[in-house]
């Protein structure tokens, strides 16, 4: 039988990066083995549930490209969503839980207690064979007087997580439970319940936790903890997937940048590391930069335009060729797309503001006559391309007896408002002669 795995998040309003990594490892194992990846929303807690919280999970998984294989059909069967499948929802499976409770009660394996229903827990230690952690023996309790029985259904009629989790895994035929190591302490209860139902439990693989760089537990307030922050900050899903693969899994050859298709071929549970993983935001950002550099031009253009629009910069007012040429000068220079508006919005603004610190350094009295020479040299050019601009700037520097950098800094500031950015010669070519001369003229009348 081919493996059947599942990701079963609770809709809490955000998707933790650790949950995303758990989903990814389950998806990878299913794709590696030709198995099935099931998505199940554990929404039995009515007080915490909302469609908005569910959408956060679904949108995050779709953004990562982690498609699930089963679920009820959604949308109009004749409409554009024909064939789309939603996840399973525990809130829609209450009859299953009631039926299973009644079966346990009828066999004397559960009993009513103060309005609740409790499971009659085994009194023997439970062995947990784990594919990552190894064999773990869980003693029943350190003190015999402590009642090991536990609640299946609360007095308000709500089934508890441990119960519905096992029932769903049983009825969905889950063969491997791949989840965070923080769930290991619950597994003895789950194994005992599987055996009470007369079936063998699935194989367990508890994966290491993701910690902050200082070794502390990662909370939702910590930087990088929420998957949504990566969508907001302009990360690429392939970069995030790649980095998540490296948190607790090793391909054994120290290769770091790997497309997901290659990871699918390499991934297996025995390669999951035993020790906790430390989250390194700088390494993720570096990996993001590598993926961003390698993007095909059309996709870089599409994501770039979206980043500008999100920042309130309207590129639609400019010719497509101009926008693409502007974005071409940014490729390989930014790491995340949320950096793009600050880096290159000067292309799309009629008025630019000068960086104050850069103006204090570059707009000094001795720079004014030099910038006037640059203006005049550019004005004489019949061809305004990067090569001609570079030659004119170098010839002007030689005429003045200064290094070319002395001219580059005030020219860049006058034309972009910033001390850093794309290649000066290429950005000037994109801006065009008329706009460059106009901006230099404005710069000559400012801040001296």
């Amino acid at each position: 039988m081919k493996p059947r795995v599942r990701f079963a998040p609770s809709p809490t309003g955000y998707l933790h990066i650790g949950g995303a990594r758990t989903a990814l490892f389950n998806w990878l194992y299913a794709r590696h083995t030709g198995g099935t990846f099931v998505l199940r929303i554990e929404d039995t807690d009515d007080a915490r549930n909302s469609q908005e919280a569910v959408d956060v999970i679904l949108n995050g998984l779709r953004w990562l490209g982690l498609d699930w294989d089963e679920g009820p059909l959604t949308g109009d069967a004749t409409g554009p969503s024909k064939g789309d499948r939603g996840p399973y929802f525990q809130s829609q499976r209450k009859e299953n839980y009631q039926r299973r409770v009644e079966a346990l009660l009828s066999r004397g394996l559960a009993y009513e207690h103060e309005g609740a229903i409790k499971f009659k827990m085994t009194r023997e230690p439970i062995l947990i064979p784990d594919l990552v952690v190894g064999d773990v023996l869980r003693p029943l309790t350190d003190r015999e007087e402590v009642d090991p029985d536990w609640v299946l259904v609360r007095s308000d009629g709500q089934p508890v997580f441990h119960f519905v989790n096992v029932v769903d895994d049983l009825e969905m035929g889950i063969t491997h439970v791949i989840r965070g190591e923080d769930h290991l302490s619950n597994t003895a209860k789950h194994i005992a319940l599987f055996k009470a139902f007369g079936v063998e439990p699935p194989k367990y693989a508890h994966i290491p936790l993701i910690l902050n760089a200082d070794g502390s537990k990662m909370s939702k307030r910590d930087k990088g903890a929420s998957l949504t922050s990566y969508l907001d900050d302009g990360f690429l899903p392939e970069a995030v997937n790649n980095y998540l693969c490296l948190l607790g899994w090793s391909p054994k050859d120290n290769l770091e940048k790997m497309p997901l298709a290659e990871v699918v071929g390499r991934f297996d549970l025995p390669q999951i590391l035993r020790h906790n993983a430390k989250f390194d935001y700088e390494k993720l950002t570096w990996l993001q930069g590598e993926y961003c550099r390698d993007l095909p031009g059309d996709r870089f253009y599409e994501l770039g335009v979206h980043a500008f629009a999100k920042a309130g910069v309207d590129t639609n007012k400019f010719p497509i060729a101009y926008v693409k040429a502007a974005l071409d000068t940014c490729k390989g220079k930014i790491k995340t797309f949320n950096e793009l508006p600050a880096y290159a919005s000067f292309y799309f603004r009629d008025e630019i503001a000068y960086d104050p610190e850069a103006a204090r350094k570059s707009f000094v009295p001795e720079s004014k006559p030099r910038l006037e020479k640059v203006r005049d040299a550019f004005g004489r050019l019949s061809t305004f391309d990067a090569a001609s601009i570079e030659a004119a700037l170098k010839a002007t520097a030689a005429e003045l007896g200064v290094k070319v950098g002395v001219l580059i800094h005030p020219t860049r500031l006058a034309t972009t408002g910033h001390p850093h950015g794309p290649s000066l010669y290429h950005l000037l070519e994109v801006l065009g002669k008329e706009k460059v001369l106009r901006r230099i003229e404005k710069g000559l009348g400012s801040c001296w």
Side-chain angles (χ1 to χ4, degrees):
M1 180 179 179
K2 289 187 176 181
R4 290 176 56 83
V5 299
R6 48 73 167 178
F7 176 52
S10 298
T12 59
Y14 88 115
L15 180 56
H16 190 278
I17 197 71
R21 195 269 311 260
T22 296
L24 174 61
F25 278 20
N26 277 278
W27 184 90
L28 285 169
Y29 188 64
R31 297 296 173 262
H32 177 77
T33 60
T36 300
F37 175 55
V38 175
L39 176 61
R40 185 175 77 221
I41 305 296
E42 299 195 334
D43 62 340
T44 55
D45 187 347
D46 294 334
R48 301 172 67 190
N49 297 334
S50 70
Q51 186 58 47
E52 182 181 2
V54 172
D55 288 343
V56 168
I57 295 170
L58 301 185
N59 292 338
L61 296 182
R62 287 172 177 141
W63 181 72
L64 290 171
L66 305 183
D67 53 320
W68 51 95
D69 300 312
E70 286 188 5
L73 286 171
T74 60
D76 184 350
T78 61
S81 62
K82 181 181 178 182
D84 289 352
R85 292 191 176 274
Y88 293 108
F89 289 91
Q90 286 185 334
S91 59
Q92 299 171 4
R93 301 170 59 81
K94 293 181 179 179
E95 291 182 1
N96 297 353
Y97 311 137
Q98 182 61 36
R99 176 169 44 83
R100 291 288 180 175
V101 166
E102 291 172 356
L104 292 173
L105 287 168
S106 68
R107 295 167 54 203
L109 298 174
Y111 59 93
E112 295 188 32
H113 177 74
E114 298 180 354
I117 299 175
K118 297 184 74 174
F119 175 64
K120 190 176 291 185
M121 187 69 173
T122 177
R123 268 52 182 171
E124 300 298 326
I126 293 180
L127 179 67
I128 305 171
D130 194 282
L131 298 174
V132 174
V133 178
D135 288 350
V136 177
L137 185 65
R138 287 286 184 194
L140 183 65
T141 178
D142 293 331
R143 301 184 311 172
E144 291 184 3
E145 66 270 20
V146 175
D147 182 7
D149 295 350
W150 50 278
V151 172
L152 294 173
V153 181
R154 294 191 292 264
S155 58
D156 63 0
Q158 284 289 95
V160 303
F161 158 77
H162 302 295
F163 174 55
V164 295
N165 184 276
V166 167
V167 170
D168 283 338
D169 283 348
L170 188 162
E171 297 195 353
M172 293 180 180
I174 301 302
T175 63
H176 294 73
V177 173
I178 305 168
R179 60 188 180 186
E181 192 174 339
D182 51 330
H183 288 287
L184 183 59
S185 59
N186 304 324
T187 306
K189 291 181 179 181
H190 298 177
I191 288 176
L193 192 53
F194 272 110
K195 292 187 174 179
F197 286 127
V199 298
E200 283 299 310
K203 296 177 181 179
Y204 289 94
H206 287 92
I207 60 181
L209 301 180
I210 300 176
L211 305 178
N212 289 315
D214 62 2
S216 62
K217 187 176 180 180
M218 204 175 202
S219 75
K220 64 181 181 180
R221 292 176 296 276
D222 290 320
K223 184 175 183 180
S226 171
L227 184 70
T228 304
S229 67
Y230 300 103
L231 283 77
D232 294 340
D233 290 346
F235 278 79
L236 296 168
E238 50 264 51
V240 176
N241 273 328
N242 192 157
Y243 183 67
L244 289 178
C245 291
L246 303 177
L247 291 175
W249 173 78
S250 172
K252 295 183 178 180
D253 56 6
N254 295 320
L255 187 63
E256 292 187 317
K257 186 173 183 288
M258 291 173 287
L260 205 55
E262 181 177 343
V263 178
V264 166
R266 290 168 167 252
F267 186 88
D268 207 352
L269 299 179
Q271 298 159 356
I272 295 177
L273 304 175
R274 179 67 188 86
H275 56 78
N276 290 330
K278 288 189 177 181
F279 189 84
D280 185 341
Y281 195 86
E282 289 186 3
K283 185 172 182 178
L284 168 59
T285 304
W286 166 80
L287 198 56
Q288 159 72 18
E290 294 298 300
Y291 274 95
C292 194
R293 185 194 311 277
D294 294 342
L295 276 181
D298 285 349
R299 186 159 177 234
F300 188 89
Y301 171 73
E302 177 187 354
L303 294 172
V305 167
H306 177 74
F308 279 124
K310 187 177 176 182
V313 179
D314 185 6
T315 60
N316 292 319
K317 297 185 297 183
F318 299 85
I320 291 176
Y322 175 83
V323 178
K324 286 186 174 182
L327 284 167
D328 281 344
T329 69
C330 304
K331 196 172 182 186
K333 304 296 180 65
I334 61 165
K335 291 182 178 178
T336 59
F337 279 90
N338 69 330
E339 299 172 5
L340 193 56
Y343 186 78
S345 61
F346 64 86
Y347 282 119
F348 308 106
R349 297 195 187 280
D350 294 329
E351 299 294 329
I352 56 173
Y354 305 119
D355 178 271
E357 182 62 27
R360 281 193 290 271
K361 293 180 179 179
S362 295
F363 283 174
V364 292
E366 57 267 29
S367 293
K368 188 169 185 178
R370 295 168 180 167
L371 192 56
E372 289 172 340
K373 287 282 190 180
V374 171
R375 176 201 58 193
D376 295 342
F378 286 171
R380 291 191 294 270
L381 290 177
S382 57
T383 301
F384 203 74
D385 58 19
S388 302
I389 293 166
E390 181 178 7
L393 208 61
K394 289 181 176 179
T396 303
E399 178 186 343
L400 294 171
V402 298
K403 293 183 177 180
V404 71
V406 173
L407 304 181
I408 283 177
H409 297 303
T411 302
R412 179 185 291 278
L413 186 62
T415 54
T416 71
H418 299 289
H420 308 291
S423 161
L424 178 64
Y425 309 127
H426 292 89
L427 77 84
L428 294 177
E429 177 182 341
V430 173
L431 286 172
K433 182 176 179 179
E434 180 181 347
K435 189 177 291 185
V436 167
L437 292 177
R438 187 168 63 246
R439 290 188 179 185
I440 290 177
E441 199 64 45
K442 181 187 174 185
L444 285 168
S446 305
C447 307
W448 301 94

